[in-house]
Structure formats: structure tokens, C-alpha cells
């Protein structure tokens, strides 16, 4: 294999540091001496990929093994793509500039459905056949993994393997089995895949047949070989404290989205928001020990030179000893001028007081996501935030001098009425009133920004069966909301519903959508999550060209007895529980967090042999 020379190109593209490599802490090994090599391909630009914690963890874990090697590769921005194509240069890795097609595995992070056309574009640029069926023994094995892998069906035709769940252990199992089998005389690609399919959590789409009825609904999803499991159970780490954590993070030469040390303090969230896929598929909650976190934080700071640590997780404020942890980290780093931050704030006073303590937010702005305006609607989604929580939070913030508040909501949630929509405006007005109450009855200087986006039903959640509202109906509700705001201090923004509609189709889609995604890519679609690149017309054209009606996916209420496209993928949370949760939602009944209360019976601990792990301090 020949490394690719890119010096000349780098002077002609925007942000050349995206492609230059050579950052602090990168790992360079000799391919010739490796047993197994991975190209960790991220289907978005460098700044996004380098901010994704799971990606950094895999890079570290694979490279910690002497005989395995992982390099990074990112979607080239359109200017770089044009340069590569015009020079017939293949897409290559960051570290050694090795073409992706020369690796054993090319693994894609599936973090968002609207990045799938980038996967096709990267395969094309890499000279790797796009469809799994067209690849030979000379081609790498193409893997998908990450949050969206819980329904990989819309891109099943392009992937050789999918890792379901947490990848740390699975990726090493993959490399070990591959090392054993690949060198054997006469072994075929199919035999390699058969061996890899025996690893728990590994899904090989081509070993399953999907059949459809006349009504277009799925009639069966079955393995088409002996020895292939009916269901693929997700991988989950039982002991997060024992898991390796990257200590020598690669430090980029340009600003990335999250340009700081990311310290994962816990995994999973059992608050039980009924629309939230991450909250369902990454159960149960497992906290890292505080003492362990202090040690990791010290090493990370020493090895990277960063001056900020973000306490990362799905809900960092819920970490049992969050106050003590913050206090100890502030003490530990008081001489180093290291700041500590929380990635998001819950809408309550406790969170605002914590943020104040950290002095992490400029006095100008705070962001909250109440998700719904009325208490009824928040109970339906089990958000667990009372109106008074939010008012106490903003009052506390306004007293400390904050003047800007951003509020995020979803429109089109199941059972939403016009009163719920107006409730968003009412809540925003109450925030204005709270400001006036602490500022002599005046709203001078205050700015409340309300943003809404269209609810997207996600697989493995209690709302997985529910259809989205149509664009016309969404438009009607948006106008109601727009006309309901009373204060001039409120600004209203909304997210492009066309993107959410297409995301909804793919989220709950089946294998037949592979054709659409391929056609959309042929029509020029890529970087679909970037406003300036999104091509709605070309996407809709693609559906027409292949004869698939996107509305039959997006707006349809899937039946409880229906075989769902992801029926053979198990997150450990039972379908019975999801249905029960959906029924509770319709009744507006809330449930408590099993981390601080009783087990609510989702089934994950029993089916996967895991436990909620919480540290209260007595273990120290
Ligand atoms: S099985 Fe029970 S304890 Fe475990 S995550 Fe589910 S609800 Fe929580």
C-alpha cells in the first residue's frame, strides 16, 4: 500500500487542519506489523467526529493493543471531495494517509440518520463497493455502530456487520476472531462473516431474510443460515469503572464542537422520557466511582494541556455525588486554572445553582429543554419537570444577573392539542414575568428565545409506533404558537420540518429504504444535516424514482402486533414494557426513575444480567 500525498491539495481547501493529521497524541504504527487494522470512519466533518466520545474511546481501546491499529477518517467537505475526485485520489486515513480500502475493517459511526448519504459518499471516494453483496475478499469489512445502529435496516444493504450496543468489548472480540480466521487457507468472505456473526452483539444483515405482505408490512425477519441467532442482544458493559478510558486524547489543531476534556461520569439514563432513544437503549445507569474520575481527570489534563473538563453523560446533574465530585475537581485543579463544565442543564434550581458554582456560563445566557409547554403534555412524555421547577430555575438565574434564556420544545408530540401548543407561549410568558419580578417590573434587556422542532418517533422507545403529524398540520400548530406569544422579549425559531420528516422516515424504516438512500446520494445529497447542503427536492425525487411513498413510513401508526423493522434487534428493554409505557403516556401517568426509586420493570437488568450502579460515597 502507498501512502497518499496531499500537500498540494491542502493549500487549496478550507480548514486544511481537518485533513493534515499529525495532531498531539495521535498514534502511528506500521501497518505491515499489524494483525488487524481499523479505519474509524466518521460520516461528518472532522470538527463533529472529533467531538464524539464513543469515537475517541474506540480509537484508544484498539490502539492499546500492540497488534491492532485504528486510524481516523472523516467525511471530506465538498471542496476537499472535489479535489480528491479531480485527481483520482482515494479517501485515506488521517494518521498514515493509507487508503481506506487497504484496512481490514472500515467502521462507520451511526450517530444520526441524516448522515447516511455521507457513508455512501465516503465508500465511493474510498473505492470500496457500496453494496455489501458486491464486495470480495480483497475489500475491507464495512461495520456500522453507534446509537442509530439500533435500527440499521435502512442501510443494511451497505454494511457487512453491525455492532449493537456498547462497542468497547465487541470491537476487540471482532479483531480477535478475525485474526484467527482471516489467514486460514481458502477461507471465504462468507466464512469470515459466519465466524464474526457468532460474537454476541454482532449482526450480519445478509444472514437475515425479510419478507413483506401485500399490504407492504413485514411478515417475517428470519436468519437464512444455521447457527445465526434469531435476535441480536445489545452489548453492555457491566462494570464501567473497570473499562478502559482514553487518557491521551488527540488534541486538534482547529476548534472542534466540543474542544475540551470529556470526562464520562456515568452511562445510561433512566429518567424515562418516552421520546428519548438514548434513555431507553443505553440502560441501565452505571456511575463511575468519584475517586476513579479524579484520577482520570488528572491524567487527561496532564496529557492534553486542555484547560476545561466537561462532565459528560446523558444527564450529568443526576450523578449521585455531583456536588462532591465538582468540589473535589475544583480543589484538585485550583492551581491549574482548569474550569469544570456541565454539558446541559436540567430545568431546576439545583442545576442553575450548580452552574453558578462552576461559573461556566456567561451571565448572558442559559439553555433549558422543557420539551413541552403544558404540564399535561410533560406528563405524557414523562419529562418530570414541573412548571415551578423552571420558574425557580430562571428566577434564580435572573437574580444572579442572567438576561438571556433559550427554551427548546417539541411540536407534534403524541396527543398534543392546541392548548398544549399555546402552553409553550404561556410558559415563555411566565419566564418573562419571572424576570420582571426581580427587575422592578420591567423586561428591559431580557431575551427569551423559544425554539421548536418536529417530534421524530424513534425505535425502541414507547413512542416507536406513533406517526408524525403532517407538514400542513405542523404548519397550523406553528402559526397558533407564533400568534400566542405576548411579550416582545420573546423570539421564536423553528427547525426545518423537512429534515425532521426525512429523519422520521429513515428512523422507522426498513431495508427497502436502502434504494432510496442510494438514489438520494446519486441525486447529489450529502451532508444532509447541514442547512446549506440539504437538498429536500432531490430527496423527494429519490423516493419517487424508486417508487416508495415516504408518508407511509412517517405518518403511519404502526400496529402493536406488527413486526417492526428492528424486531430482531434487542436493547434489553422489553416490547411489553414499551407498550405499557405508551399506554401510560395516553393516560398522562408518569413513572419514577429506577435509579432513585424501585425498578419499573423495563427488563434490561434481568435479560442482560446487569445492574444499576450507583456510588453514594460509603465505598470510599
Ligand atoms: S430493569 Fe428495572 S432497574 Fe433495570 S434499568 Fe430497567 S427499570 Fe431500571
Amino acid at each position: 500500500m502507498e501512502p497518499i500525498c496531499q500537500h498540494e491539495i491542502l493549500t487549496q481547501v478550507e480548514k486544511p487542519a481537518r485533513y493534515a493529521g499529525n495532531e498531539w497524541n495521535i498514534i502511528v504504527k506500521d501497518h505491515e506489523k499489524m494483525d488487524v487494522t481499523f479505519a474509524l470512519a466518521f460520516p461528518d466533518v472532522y470538527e463533529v467526529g472529533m467531538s464524539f466520545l464513543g469515537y475517541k474511546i474506540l480509537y484508544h481501546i484498539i490502539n492499546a493493543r500492540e497488534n491492532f491499529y485504528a486510524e481516523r477518517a472523516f467525511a471530506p467537505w465538498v471542496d476537499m471531495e472535489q479535489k480528491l475526485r479531480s485527481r483520482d485520489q482515494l479517501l485515506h486515513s488521517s494518521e498514515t494517509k493509507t487508503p481506506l480500502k487497504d484496512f481490514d475493517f472500515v467502521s462507520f459511526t451511526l450517530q444520526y440518520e441524516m448522515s447516511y448519504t455521507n457513508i455512501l459518499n465516503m465508500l465511493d471516494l474510498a473505492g470500496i463497493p457500496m453494496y455489501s453483496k458486491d464486495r470480495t475478499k480483497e475489500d475491507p469489512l464495512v461495520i456500522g455502530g453507534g446509537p442509530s445502529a439500533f435500527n440499521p435496516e435502512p442501510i443494511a444493504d451497505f454494511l457487512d456487520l453491525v455492532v449493537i450496543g456498547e462497542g468497547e468489548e465487541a470491537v476487540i472480540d471482532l479483531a480477535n476472531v478475525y485474526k484467527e480466521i482471516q489467514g486460514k487457507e481458502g477461507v471465504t468472505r462468507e466464512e469470515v462473516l459466519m465466524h464474526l456473526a457468532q460474537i454476541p452483539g454482532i449482526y450480519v444483515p445478509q444472514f437475515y431474510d425479510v419478507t413483506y405482505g401485500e399490504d407492504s408490512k413485514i411478515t417475517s425477519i428470519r436468519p437464512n443460515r444455521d447457527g445465526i441467532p434469531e435476535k441480536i442482544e445489545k452489548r453492555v458493559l457491566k462494570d464501567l469503572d473497570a473499562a478502559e478510558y482514553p487518557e491521551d486524547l488527540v488534541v486538534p489543531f482547529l476548534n472542534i464542537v466540543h474542544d475540551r476534556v470529556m470526562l464520562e461520569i456515568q452511562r445510561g439514563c433512566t429518567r424515562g422520557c418516552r421520546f428519548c432513544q438514548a434513555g431507553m437503549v443505553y440502560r441501565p445507569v452505571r456511575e463511575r466511582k468519584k475517586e476513579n474520575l479524579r484520577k482520570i481527570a488528572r491524567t487527561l489534563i496532564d496529557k492534553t494541556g486542555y484547560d476545561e473538563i466537561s462532565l459528560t453523560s446523558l444527564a450529568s446533574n443526576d450523578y449521585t455525588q455531583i456536588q462532591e465530585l465538582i468540589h473535589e475537581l475544583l480543589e484538585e485543579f485550583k492551581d491549574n486554572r482548569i474550569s469544570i463544565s456541565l454539558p446541559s442543564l436540567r430545568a431546576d434550581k439545583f442545576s442553575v445553582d450548580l452552574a453558578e458554582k462552576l461559573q461556566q456560563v456567561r451571565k448572558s445566557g442559559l439553555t433549558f429543554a422543557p420539551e413541552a409547554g403544558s404540564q399535561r403534555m410533560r406528563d405524557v412524555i414523562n419529562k418530570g419537570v414541573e412548571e415551578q421547577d423552571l420558574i425557580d430555575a430562571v428566577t434564580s438565574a435572573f437574580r444572579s444577573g442572567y438576561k438571556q434564556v433559550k427554551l427548546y420544545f417539541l411540536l407534534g408530540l403524541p396527543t398534543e392539542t392546541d392548548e398544549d401548543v399555546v402552553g409553550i407561549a404561556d410558559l415563555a410568558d411566565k419566564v418573562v414575568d419571572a424576570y420582571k419580578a426581580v427587575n422592578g417590573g420591567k423586561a428591559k434587556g431580557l431575551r427569551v428565545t423559544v425554539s421548536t422542532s418536529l417530534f421524530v418517533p424513534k425505535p425502541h422507545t414507547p413512542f416507536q409506533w406513533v406517526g408524525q403529524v403532517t407538514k400542513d398540520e405542523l404548519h397550523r400548530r406553528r402559526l397558533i404558537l407564533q400568534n400566542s406569544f405576548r411579550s416582545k422579549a420573546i423570539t421564536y425559531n423553528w427547525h426545518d420540518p423537512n429534515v425532521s420528516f426525512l429523519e422520521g422516515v429513515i428512523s422507522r424504516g426498513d431495508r427497502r429504504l436502502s434504494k432510496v438512500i442510494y438514489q438520494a446520494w446519486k441525486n447529489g445529497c450529502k451532508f444532509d444535516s447541514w442547512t446549506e447542503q440539504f437538498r429536500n427536492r432531490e430527496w423527494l425525487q429519490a423516493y419517487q424514482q424508486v417508487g416508495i411513498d415516504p408518508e407511509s413510513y412517517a405518518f403511519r401508526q404502526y400496529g402493536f402486533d406488527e413486526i417492526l423493522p428492528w424486531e430482531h434487534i434487542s436493547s434489553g428493554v422489553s416490547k411489553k414494557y414499551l407498550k405499557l409505557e405508551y399506554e401510560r403516556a395516553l393516560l398522562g401517568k408518569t413513572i419514577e426513575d429506577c435509579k432513585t426509586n424501585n425498578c419499573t420493570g423495563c427488563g434490561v437488568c434481568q435479560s442482560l444480567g446487569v445492574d444499576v450502579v450507583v456510588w453514594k460515597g460509603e465505598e470510599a
Side-chain angles (χ1 to χ4, degrees):
M1 75 198 74
E2 277 298 309
I4 287 173
C5 173
Q6 56 172 11
H7 285 148
E8 203 191 319
I9 301 184
L10 287 186
T11 59
Q12 300 171 25
V13 294
E14 190 191 326
K15 300 190 183 177
R18 283 172 170 166
Y19 316 103
N22 276 328
E23 304 98 309
W24 187 255
N25 287 335
I26 63 159
I27 295 164
V28 176
K29 296 185 183 179
D30 182 351
H31 274 248
E32 300 301 324
K33 295 184 181 150
M34 294 298 114
D35 286 329
V36 184
T37 55
F38 287 83
L40 301 179
F42 199 92
D44 209 321
V45 291
Y46 177 94
E47 298 93 303
V48 178
M50 284 297 289
S51 302
F52 199 74
L53 182 61
Y55 185 77
K56 293 170 195 257
I57 291 177
L58 289 185
Y59 183 76
H60 169 83
I61 285 195
I62 297 168
N63 283 323
R65 274 78 187 165
E66 226 171 85
N67 54 338
F68 301 155
Y69 186 27
E71 296 198 46
R72 297 161 302 146
F74 304 92
W77 189 245
V78 286
D79 56 350
M80 182 56 151
E81 177 188 341
Q82 193 260 326
K83 297 283 169 212
L84 291 173
R85 289 197 189 278
S86 66
R87 283 153 204 256
D88 282 333
Q89 279 199 358
L90 292 172
L91 187 63
H92 50 269
S93 61
S94 289
E95 279 77 0
T96 63
K97 317 296 177 223
T98 301
L100 262 51
K101 72 179 184 54
D102 292 334
F103 284 78
D104 295 314
F105 291 96
V106 174
S107 96
F108 285 97
T109 305
L110 311 180
Q111 105 289 9
Y112 181 41
E113 291 81 0
M114 296 311 284
S115 67
Y116 289 170
T117 50
N118 278 6
I119 294 180
L120 301 197
N121 207 36
M122 288 174 81
L123 288 172
D124 185 56
L125 282 165
I128 298 170
M130 227 166 261
Y131 282 95
S132 166
K133 66 178 170 46
D134 297 331
R135 293 183 201 124
T136 69
K137 194 137 190 273
E138 307 312 311
D139 297 306
L141 291 165
V142 177
I143 315 179
S148 304
F150 280 90
N151 177 21
E153 292 307 283
I155 46 167
D157 288 354
F158 310 117
L159 300 174
D160 299 312
L161 302 157
V162 185
V163 178
I164 309 295
E166 295 167 357
E168 284 103 327
E169 294 171 343
V171 80
I172 298 304
D173 290 348
L174 268 178
N176 280 326
V177 173
Y178 182 79
K179 178 170 78 100
E180 289 309 313
I181 186 76
Q182 55 115 10
K184 290 201 173 143
E185 187 73 31
V187 71
T188 63
R189 190 174 172 90
E190 166 151 347
E191 284 163 345
V192 171
L193 285 171
M194 266 309 273
H195 276 80
L196 298 176
Q198 309 305 315
I199 300 170
I202 300 299
Y203 169 47
V204 178
Q206 64 180 265
F207 292 162
Y208 294 78
D209 287 334
V210 184
T211 56
Y212 306 90
E214 276 175 19
D215 58 1
S216 193
K217 291 180 187 161
I218 295 174
T219 49
S220 71
I221 304 174
R222 282 204 202 98
N224 54 25
R225 311 273 196 290
D226 289 339
I228 295 295
E230 298 268 341
K231 247 189 204 292
I232 303 97
E233 300 273 10
K234 80 169 181 193
R235 294 293 291 260
V236 58
L237 294 182
K238 289 184 183 164
D239 185 354
L240 198 61
D241 260 309
E244 297 163 59
Y245 197 76
E247 293 178 337
D248 38 10
L249 296 174
V250 174
V251 184
F253 288 142
L254 78 164
N255 279 341
I256 59 170
V257 180
H258 299 297
D259 205 5
R260 55 191 75 94
V261 160
M262 291 165 88
L263 184 63
E264 188 193 32
I265 59 177
Q266 61 183 359
R267 203 169 284 183
C269 169
T270 34
R271 285 258 174 187
C273 297
R274 293 177 174 129
F275 59 86
C276 176
Q277 189 184 42
M280 292 293 156
V281 301
Y282 290 120
R283 288 171 173 230
V285 170
R286 288 143 293 153
E287 295 184 347
R288 279 201 165 89
K289 272 191 201 149
K290 182 163 57 66
E291 291 64 37
N292 194 16
L293 289 168
R294 264 179 61 181
K295 275 189 222 137
I296 299 173
R298 170 49 72 192
T299 315
L300 281 166
I301 289 295
D302 291 348
K303 290 200 174 181
T304 62
Y306 270 121
D307 59 4
E308 182 182 348
I309 300 172
S310 170
L311 306 180
T312 309
S313 78
L314 289 170
S316 297
N317 298 9
D318 290 349
Y319 180 77
T320 307
Q321 296 181 78
I322 188 71
Q323 303 250 34
E324 293 86 343
L325 175 65
I326 288 173
H327 175 73
E328 288 179 23
L329 289 175
L330 288 173
E331 270 299 300
E332 169 89 27
F333 296 107
K334 67 173 185 264
D335 299 329
N336 306 71
R337 295 178 158 268
I338 305 292
S339 63
I340 314 292
S341 62
L342 293 166
S344 60
L345 290 185
R346 274 184 67 77
D348 56 28
K349 186 172 179 303
F350 172 75
S351 309
V352 172
D353 292 348
L354 266 188
E356 269 289 286
K357 189 171 172 188
L358 296 172
Q359 297 180 324
Q360 67 177 71
V361 197
R362 282 185 296 124
K363 278 280 183 276
S364 52
L366 275 179
T367 301
F368 299 107
E371 314 287 5
S374 68
Q375 193 58 49
R376 188 200 80 79
M377 196 71 253
R378 283 194 298 275
D379 288 347
V380 167
I381 62 176
N382 202 47
K383 186 63 198 171
V385 171
E386 304 276 331
E387 182 176 294
Q388 200 53 45
D389 294 332
L390 179 71
I391 299 306
D392 288 349
V394 292
T395 302
S396 172
F398 294 148
R399 281 210 184 102
S400 311
Y402 290 96
K403 289 183 183 312
Q404 290 183 24
V405 177
K406 286 187 187 153
L407 301 172
Y408 285 98
F409 297 92
L410 292 167
L411 274 182
L413 282 161
T415 78
E416 184 178 71
T417 63
D418 290 355
E419 287 78 57
D420 298 316
V421 174
V422 173
I424 295 176
D426 289 345
L427 193 58
D429 278 319
K430 283 177 187 159
V431 169
V432 175
D433 291 343
Y435 183 86
K436 286 183 182 168
V438 291
N439 285 283
K442 299 209 167 75
K444 192 162 175 266
L446 171 68
R447 197 153 152 221
V448 178
T449 308
V450 171
S451 301
T452 61
S453 46
L454 173 61
F455 157 71
V456 177
K458 293 283 179 176
H460 304 279
T461 67
F463 292 159
Q464 63 181 352
W465 293 280
V466 185
Q468 287 179 302
V469 296
T470 63
K471 282 188 230 170
D472 287 349
E473 175 57 17
L474 180 73
H475 182 65
R476 191 188 69 81
R477 293 187 199 182
R478 211 171 57 204
L479 286 180
I480 292 178
L481 179 55
Q482 211 164 355
N483 294 326
S484 302
F485 293 112
R486 289 188 291 277
S487 169
K488 286 204 175 93
I490 300 170
T491 311
Y492 177 40
N493 299 327
W494 57 89
H495 184 247
D496 185 350
N498 292 315
V499 179
S500 306
F501 166 71
L502 292 171
E503 182 193 338
V505 176
I506 300 175
S507 288
R508 299 199 303 155
D510 53 46
R511 280 190 189 188
R512 292 171 291 192
L513 292 190
S514 293
K515 284 195 214 105
V516 182
I517 294 168
Y518 177 76
Q519 189 59 48
W521 170 75
K522 291 282 273 183
N523 293 354
C525 298
K526 59 194 157 198
F527 286 110
D528 300 304
S529 58
W530 291 71
T531 311
E532 68 270 39
Q533 293 293 327
F534 176 60
R535 292 178 167 93
N536 191 44
R537 202 181 40 156
E538 284 80 354
W539 264 103
L540 296 179
Q541 239 168 26
Y543 278 99
Q544 255 179 9
Q545 285 164 297
V546 302
I548 286 182
D549 174 16
E551 298 190 356
S552 67
Y553 289 87
F555 304 146
R556 191 166 71 81
Q557 173 90 20
Y558 289 12
F560 288 127
D561 299 332
E562 209 174 311
I563 298 174
L564 300 170
W566 51 93
E567 196 82 35
H568 53 314
I569 308 285
S570 169
S571 71
V573 175
S574 71
K575 200 171 174 183
K576 196 167 143 214
Y577 176 81
L578 295 178
K579 181 166 174 269
L580 191 64
E581 269 293 274
Y582 177 62
E583 286 161 356
R584 284 193 197 114
L586 296 184
L587 297 171
K589 278 194 185 166
T590 58
I591 58 156
E592 291 181 314
D593 185 345
C594 68
K595 181 179 157 182
T596 43
N597 295 282
N598 294 329
C599 170
T600 55
C602 80
V604 79
C605 294
Q606 298 77 5
S607 71
L608 301 179
V610 276
D611 278 317
V612 174
V613 179
V614 169
W615 301 110
K616 295 190 172 149
E618 67 274 15
E619 68 285 352

